[in-house]
């Protein structure tokens, strides 16, 4: 056998594949991997069909279809009051995942440090390490998972190249406040630190709260790349279309990587999205839409032994299962799938070293029927 040296010796298969496969094997309700089980707006499907019939079937320009970049520029202006140049500061990516990877590959050099907050989405660390960077982890402590700015200040060194943030936050369902963003602005001012701001749940924020995008702060926007996902916003995770916004000097470097990783993204979907974005209510309805689901799911657990933590954004609900079991999160998640027919995500896997806090993440981007069935099963445990 040919000898190889693994570039990611400690990395296994992502928990999302593991749990979704287990859910399928056991015919369990899949509240693990974050994806909706309800249909995409038929209007959007119709727009794609029309785009395909109209001949939008060949390569799009490398940074994305101009009409879509224009529509995103207008949306950003309206939503965050920030003007990004559609030609030089917006790039359409194959989902947020590829956008994150391209940004990290373009900007992190061997030996650079990248600060991330844990628990953290699982694609960040391998992307940094593949580029020879070193991840510096700052814990977010349960139950509030708020950033500790003294710890951030202490973690910053001459080698800090990037701070990677994620608000609304997966997997905890928390959001960063305006004052957190001001703190970030302060700790990075007068430095060359780049902020990579994963905002894929930007439109899923509850209880009248606002999403404080890095784009809304002058001191952050000049050093930030914001990351968005149409998969999350338009209930179509399988299309894998997202985008990055960043000042031109950063975007020039990112495109150098992007062009050789995918070159460009699905043309007809881009065309349809550029038209669908013309109607603001297609995304401004999301807080209301998902808050109803959050409330229904939490409400259905009042009598159960699963104790929901606060959830201010995303479509994930953390639940404490201490009253049921002291098994590790992974063991309990597997047993819940196999024996009770409900798949969820152990959050321990989003920490550098497995940390068991008796917490599971449930995705409530589901039909009312699915959520009701899940609640019946969970209430029996
Ligand atoms: N970041 C976070 C925090 C996520 O939850 C996800 C999952 N959708 C992604 C990035 C990746 O998004 P996409 O499916 O658009 O690649
Ligand atoms: N973002 C989704 C989640 O957190 C999953 C994405 C994936 O499967 N890679 O569940």
């Amino acid at each position: 056998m040919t000898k190889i040296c693994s570039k990611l010796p400690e990395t296994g298969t992502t928990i999302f594949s593991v749990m979704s496969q287990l859910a399928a094997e056991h015919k369990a309700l899949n509240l693990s991997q974050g994806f909706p089980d309800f249909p995409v707006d038929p209007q959007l499907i119709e727009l794609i069909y029309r785009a395909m019939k109209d001949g939008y079937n060949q390569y799009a320009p490398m940074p994305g279809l101009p009409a879509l970049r224009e529509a995103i520029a207008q949306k950003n202006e309206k939503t965050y009051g920030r003007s990004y140049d559609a030609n030089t500061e917006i790039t359409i990516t194959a989902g947020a995942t590829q956008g994150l990877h391209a940004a990290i590959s373009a900007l992190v050099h061997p030996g650079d440090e990248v600060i991330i907050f844990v628990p953290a989405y699982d694609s960040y660390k391998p992307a940094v390490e593949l580029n020879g960077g070193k991840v510096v982890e700052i814990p977010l402590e349960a139950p509030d998972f708020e950033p500790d700015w003294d710890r951030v200040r202490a973690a910053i060194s001459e080698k800090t190249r990037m701070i990677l943030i994620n608000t609304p936050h997966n997997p905890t369902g928390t959001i960063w406040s305006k004052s957190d963003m001001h703190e970030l602005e302060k700790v990075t001012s007068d430095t060359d630190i780049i902020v990579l701001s994963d905002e894929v749940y930007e439109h899923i924020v509850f209880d009248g709260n606002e999403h404080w995008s890095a784009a809304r702060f002058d001191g952050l926007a000049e050093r930030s790349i914001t990351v968005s996902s149409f998969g999350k916003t338009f209930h179509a995770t399988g299309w894998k279309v997202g985008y990055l916004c960043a000042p031109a000097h950063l975007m020039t470097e990112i495109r150098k990587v992007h062009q050789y990783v995918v070159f460009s993204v699905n043309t007809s979907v881009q065309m349809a999205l550029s038209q669908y974005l013309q109607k603001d209510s297609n995304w401004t309805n999301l807080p209301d839409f998902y808050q109803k689901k959050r409330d229904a799911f939490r409400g259905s657990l009042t009598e159960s032994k699963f104790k929901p933590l606060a959830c201010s954004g995303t479509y994930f609900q953390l639940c404490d299962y201490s009253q049921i079991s002291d098994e590790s999160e992974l063991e309990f998640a597997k047993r819940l799938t196999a024996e009770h027919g409900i798949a969820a995500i152990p959050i321990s896997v989003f920490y550098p070293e497995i940390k068991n806090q008796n917490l599971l993440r449930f995705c409530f981007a589901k039909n009312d029927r699915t959520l009701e069935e899940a609640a019946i099963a969970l209430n029996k445990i």
Side-chain angles (χ1 to χ4, degrees):
M1 204 164 59
T2 316
K3 272 204 197 117
I4 51 155
C5 178
S6 174
K7 286 195 160 186
L8 296 171
E10 265 141 50
T11 305
T13 302
T14 170
I15 192 69
F16 303 116
S17 299
V18 172
M19 291 313 302
S20 277
Q21 195 181 333
L22 201 66
E25 274 165 29
H26 292 279
K27 299 192 171 43
L29 289 180
N30 191 356
L31 307 195
S32 63
Q33 197 176 18
F35 63 89
D37 73 344
F38 42 82
V40 173
D41 184 347
Q43 255 185 353
L44 181 50
I45 305 271
E46 192 58 40
L47 288 171
I48 294 176
Y49 180 52
R50 212 189 309 150
M52 284 186 167
K53 287 215 297 192
D54 286 350
Y56 288 92
N57 299 304
Q58 309 309 330
Y59 294 128
M62 179 272 279
L65 221 54
L68 180 56
R69 285 184 277 131
E70 241 353 293
I72 291 168
Q74 283 167 20
K75 174 174 176 284
N76 266 306
E77 179 87 54
K78 272 187 281 193
T79 316
Y80 303 131
R82 177 75 45 197
S83 313
Y84 288 99
D85 184 300
N87 276 327
T88 57
E89 301 188 315
I90 297 174
T91 299
I92 314 301
T93 58
T97 313
Q98 185 253 316
L100 285 158
H101 209 95
I104 291 168
S105 300
L107 300 166
V108 174
H109 293 254
D112 283 349
E113 291 182 358
V114 176
I115 292 179
I116 65 172
F117 296 84
V118 294
Y121 187 61
D122 67 347
S123 81
Y124 303 160
K125 192 175 184 205
V128 171
E129 290 178 348
L130 276 174
N131 288 287
K134 180 173 174 270
V135 159
V136 174
E137 280 128 343
I138 298 189
L140 301 169
E141 307 284 357
D144 300 326
F145 301 102
E146 281 173 5
D148 176 338
W149 290 103
D150 288 335
R151 274 180 126 143
V152 178
R153 273 183 281 275
I156 291 176
S157 78
E158 278 182 358
K159 291 189 183 155
T160 309
R161 172 94 294 243
M162 179 181 275
I163 301 183
L164 207 171
I165 68 165
N166 171 217
T167 180
H169 187 254
N170 180 8
T172 65
T174 54
I175 55 176
W176 278 19
S177 64
K178 187 179 185 184
S179 91
D180 286 323
M181 299 305 278
H182 275 308
E183 287 290 344
L184 183 62
E185 198 172 27
K186 266 194 263 166
V187 300
T188 52
S189 74
D190 299 323
T191 71
D192 288 324
I193 297 173
I194 293 160
V195 172
L196 182 54
S197 186
D198 181 346
E199 304 183 12
V200 300
Y201 302 99
E202 61 195 312
H203 299 300
I204 312 181
V205 171
F206 308 128
D207 307 314
N209 281 303
E210 284 182 63
H211 168 58
W212 294 104
S213 171
R216 294 175 73 173
F217 301 82
D218 290 345
L220 289 176
E222 65 179 23
R223 63 177 72 250
S224 293
I225 304 127
T226 61
V227 184
S228 298
S229 169
F230 287 118
K232 298 291 164 180
T233 298
F234 295 141
H235 318 304
T237 60
W239 296 353
K240 296 299 292 187
V241 182
Y243 59 93
L244 302 176
C245 299
H249 71 287
L250 297 180
M251 194 55 91
T252 303
E253 293 305 311
I254 294 170
R255 285 182 181 174
K256 289 181 190 174
V257 175
H258 169 81
Q259 67 185 344
Y260 293 126
V261 178
V262 285
F263 182 70
S264 67
V265 177
N266 193 313
T267 312
S268 45
V269 171
Q270 289 195 56
M271 190 58 189
L273 286 167
S274 73
Q275 294 159 345
Y276 196 67
L277 279 177
Q278 301 307 321
K279 198 166 139 203
D280 295 6
S281 61
N282 286 333
W283 68 89
T284 55
N285 63 5
L286 284 190
D288 204 37
F289 176 78
Y290 276 119
Q291 188 166 325
K292 286 199 181 92
K293 293 192 181 295
R294 178 201 67 172
D295 292 346
F297 184 56
R298 289 171 67 90
S300 67
L301 296 179
T302 4
E303 302 297 314
S304 102
K305 290 187 177 148
F306 287 92
K307 298 300 164 204
L309 273 61
C311 169
S312 307
T314 75
Y315 44 52
F316 301 118
Q317 174 64 59
L318 287 190
C319 287
D320 184 313
Y321 64 83
S322 312
Q323 287 185 18
I324 301 168
S325 167
D326 55 11
E327 284 160 282
S328 76
E329 291 174 5
L330 186 58
E331 277 167 342
F332 185 61
K334 287 184 171 169
R335 195 163 67 80
L336 193 65
T337 312
E339 292 179 15
H340 300 278
I342 306 288
I345 295 285
I347 75 155
S348 53
V349 299
F350 301 130
Y351 286 90
E353 270 142 39
I354 299 290
K355 174 170 170 170
N356 278 299
Q357 304 173 93
N358 295 355
L359 292 174
L360 290 186
R361 189 199 81 176
F362 295 87
C363 172
F364 56 80
K366 304 292 167 192
N367 273 310
D368 295 349
R369 182 76 205 280
T370 312
L371 294 177
E372 280 156 24
E373 276 180 41
I376 291 171
L378 295 173
N379 274 296
K380 281 190 194 147
I381 302 170

